[in-house]
């Protein structure tokens, strides 16, 4: 009888260990799924904002559009949108001319990178979801 009781206790402890491992794996998968969901939601939000800027020359809130003026070029509206939405300024004109010029140059360089992206190995800014490497 002692042999049978010992075997039952051994099987019980093994089952408890397996259950604990399964619970840990489930928690890890839930965390990974939550990261993917958050990443995917941020990508959709950024895509909507980019689409709104390209189609309407303004962010989804439209704050920069009226500050830049309706007759402004798309580049001016984009700079105004960045100044208002990203930098938190009241308008693009509150940015000094030199800073506006530097921002415009950086945007031109960024547009060039979008048109002709570097190879995945050289790309320091990975836009892939969590868990996937860029290389």
């Amino acid at each position: 009888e002692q042999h049978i009781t010992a075997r039952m206790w051994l099987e019980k402890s093994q089952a408890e260990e397996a259950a604990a491992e399964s619970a840990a794996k489930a928690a890890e998968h839930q965390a990974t799924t939550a990261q993917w969901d958050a990443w995917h939601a941020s990508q959709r939000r950024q895509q909507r904002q980019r689409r709104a800027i390209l189609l309407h020359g303004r962010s989804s809130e439209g704050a920069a559009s009226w500050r830049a003026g309706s007759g402004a070029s798309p580049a001016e509206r984009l700079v105004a949108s960045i100044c208002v939405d990203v930098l938190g300024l009241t308008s693009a004109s509150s940015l000094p001319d030199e800073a506006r010029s530097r921002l415009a140059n950086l945007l031109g360089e960024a547009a060039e990178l979008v048109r002709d992206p570097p190879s995945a190995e050289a790309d320091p800014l990975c836009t892939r979801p969590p868990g996937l490497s860029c290389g």
Side-chain angles (χ1 to χ4, degrees):
E1 278 186 41
Q2 288 179 345
H3 178 69
I4 294 172
T5 304
R7 185 176 175 147
M8 288 174 42
W9 279 105
L10 180 63
E11 289 175 356
K12 180 184 177 192
S13 65
Q14 288 174 344
E16 288 173 346
E17 288 175 6
E21 287 178 17
S22 296
K25 284 183 182 179
E28 181 182 338
H29 291 309
Q30 286 176 337
T32 301
T33 302
Q35 287 177 337
W36 276 72
D37 287 343
W39 175 83
H40 190 39
S42 73
Q43 294 299 308
R44 285 194 317 257
R45 184 174 47 256
Q46 290 174 5
Q47 181 64 31
R48 281 193 305 269
Q49 289 173 345
R50 285 191 296 268
R51 190 179 307 122
I53 289 171
L54 290 174
L55 292 176
H56 306 293
R58 59 174 161 43
S59 66
S60 57
E61 291 81 25
S65 177
W66 63 268
R67 287 186 177 98
S70 59
S73 72
E76 292 169 334
R77 288 194 304 253
L78 182 58
V79 168
S81 175
I82 290 172
C83 288
V84 173
D85 296 336
V86 177
L87 301 177
L89 301 173
T90 55
S91 70
S93 61
S94 62
L95 199 62
D97 289 337
E98 181 181 323
R100 255 196 327 256
S101 175
R102 283 190 9 235
L103 180 60
N105 289 338
L106 288 172
L107 288 174
E109 292 174 16
E112 189 61 36
L113 286 174
V114 168
R115 280 192 286 277
D116 186 23
S119 66
E121 296 84 29
D123 189 7
L125 302 174
C126 180
T127 59
R128 293 189 181 166
L132 293 179
S133 64
C134 286

